[in-house]
Amino acid sequence: MSRRGRGCFFIVGLMLNASVFAEALDDTDTTAAPPPADSAMTERRQLWRDFSISPLRPSYILHTYSSSPNQDTYRLAEPDATLKRQELQYQLSFRLTIDRNWLGSGGDLWFGYTQMSFWQAYNKGLSSPFRETNYQPELDVSFDIDSKPFGLNLVSVGVVHQSNGRSKPLSRSWNRLWASATFEHGKFVTTITPWLRLPEGDDDNPDIENYVGRGEIRLIHKDENRVFSAMLRNNFDRHDNRSGVELSWSFPYHDRLKWLVQYYNGYGESLVDYNVRMRRIGIGVLITDWL
């Protein structure tokens, strides 16, 4: 079977498994008291506590168009390669409980995993390869907070590894300590996440913080089944400022899935392109949402 054929079977299997996962979430025991209808974050926090496996970040598959594919970097490994502007992009993300009230801290210990892949599915000349895949396992401890005056309802601290599993010259990886604070005001949820990079011996990308940034802010607005999300990363360098901006809008498709429209402009969307400014727009199917 060709590489493209295997990829198609993989995507079909991915979508089927995701649908089964979504049904499993909906069909679990609902005897517990429901969260307040006006609190999207309370509902998501209850989901995290009720199930062993739950969504972390959105899971989706998109047909995307990029204004300027990063040809130069890819040609370091494939000198004659020509990348297509159109490709498929998908993300899988979940978290699972390791321990409640970890070490008596009052916080819950979680393991999370996110995988994002960029697939040149329409590039028959290159046998439709996966151009880039980023793997992101992480551990965090999360504390439920009930701070009514400020809307603070979740604080987390953790460590994350991100790499693309490639050999040189395309190898990219880094490790970070991070902390986040999540605030909720009505239909708006804001998460502020600064991070600190951990030093490495053999470093393939020593300047990655100057492009991907030193933290991010995400604003989410949920109105019934429609969700708008805006994310900003920045390196906080006044003289050589760089950032990455992601805008997403999801709306109902049918009972199990939603449509997703997503736009990205800036640095750091993928590891192999961390120091190249990308402009991309995509539309596709969303399996699990932020809220």
Side-chain angles (χ1 to χ4, degrees):
M1 183 181 293
S2 67
R3 186 183 304 178
R4 185 174 184 179
R6 291 193 300 269
C8 290
F9 275 111
F10 174 79
I11 292 297
V12 170
L14 165 67
M15 300 298 289
L16 291 175
N17 289 334
S19 296
V20 171
F21 173 66
E23 290 181 10
L25 292 182
D26 287 344
D27 293 340
T28 27
D29 181 26
T30 57
T31 57
D38 60 348
S39 176
M41 269 306 297
T42 299
E43 183 178 353
R44 176 50 60 99
R45 287 162 57 190
Q46 189 65 39
L47 178 68
W48 287 343
R49 298 187 65 87
D50 282 349
F51 305 109
S52 296
I53 299 178
S54 57
L56 176 56
R57 299 177 179 87
S59 293
Y60 58 76
I61 179 170
L62 299 175
H63 170 90
T64 67
Y65 178 87
S66 174
S67 63
S68 53
N70 183 10
Q71 306 280 3
D72 293 340
T73 300
Y74 196 80
R75 284 172 178 166
L76 294 175
E78 300 284 345
D80 298 325
T82 299
L83 298 175
K84 297 289 187 181
R85 293 175 183 263
Q86 300 184 66
E87 63 182 6
L88 295 181
Q89 176 180 333
Y90 69 83
Q91 178 169 282
L92 289 174
S93 186
F94 65 88
R95 69 187 313 190
L96 57 89
T97 311
I98 297 178
D99 191 19
R100 304 292 190 192
N101 191 26
W102 184 58
L103 298 180
S105 64
D108 297 330
L109 180 64
W110 297 89
F111 169 78
Y113 179 76
T114 302
Q115 179 175 319
M116 180 184 290
S117 291
F118 302 83
W119 182 21
Q120 287 272 299
Y122 314 109
N123 199 335
K124 296 180 179 179
L126 292 179
S127 299
S128 304
F130 281 86
R131 174 177 65 84
E132 171 78 344
T133 296
N134 292 165
Y135 310 93
Q136 185 168 308
E138 55 192 292
L139 285 172
D140 75 87
V141 181
S142 296
F143 301 86
D144 290 343
I145 307 293
D146 189 11
S147 178
K148 297 296 184 182
F150 302 101
L152 177 67
N153 63 15
L154 188 68
V155 172
S156 301
V157 292
V159 58
V160 57
H161 168 78
Q162 188 180 27
S163 63
N164 64 357
R166 305 289 292 273
S167 57
K168 293 183 178 182
L170 300 182
S171 174
R172 306 283 189 271
S173 68
W174 63 328
N175 301 304
R176 289 171 287 163
L177 292 174
W178 59 269
S180 71
T182 301
F183 303 84
E184 183 174 21
H185 295 278
K187 296 181 179 180
F188 291 89
V189 174
T190 304
T191 300
I192 302 172
T193 309
W195 56 65
L196 176 66
R197 187 184 185 187
L198 298 175
E200 300 176 47
D202 186 12
D203 196 345
D204 299 314
N205 33 254
D207 59 346
I208 190 169
E209 312 102 296
N210 296 331
Y211 293 89
V212 177
R214 294 173 173 82
E216 72 175 38
I217 298 175
R218 184 173 295 274
L219 175 66
I220 304 170
H221 176 262
K222 183 176 182 180
D223 184 10
E224 296 181 349
N225 290 327
R226 295 177 294 274
V227 176
F228 175 79
S229 168
M231 182 277 295
L232 171 66
R233 297 190 187 117
N234 196 270
N235 64 359
F236 304 112
D237 189 331
R238 185 179 62 180
H239 301 290
D240 194 11
N241 191 263
R242 299 186 181 96
S243 62
V245 177
E246 179 190 272
L247 303 176
S248 299
W249 178 43
S250 64
F251 50 96
Y253 171 41
H254 64 61
D255 291 342
R256 299 296 184 189
L257 302 174
K258 299 168 72 174
W259 290 112
L260 174 65
V261 179
Q262 188 179 88
Y263 172 74
Y264 193 92
N265 188 336
Y267 298 88
E269 182 184 29
S270 70
L271 286 179
V272 76
D273 298 327
Y274 79 91
N275 57 355
V276 178
R277 184 173 182 178
M278 306 296 292
R279 298 175 181 85
R280 173 191 59 78
I281 189 167
I283 183 169
V285 176
L286 180 72
I287 302 166
T288 58
D289 212 335
W290 285 108
L291 298 173

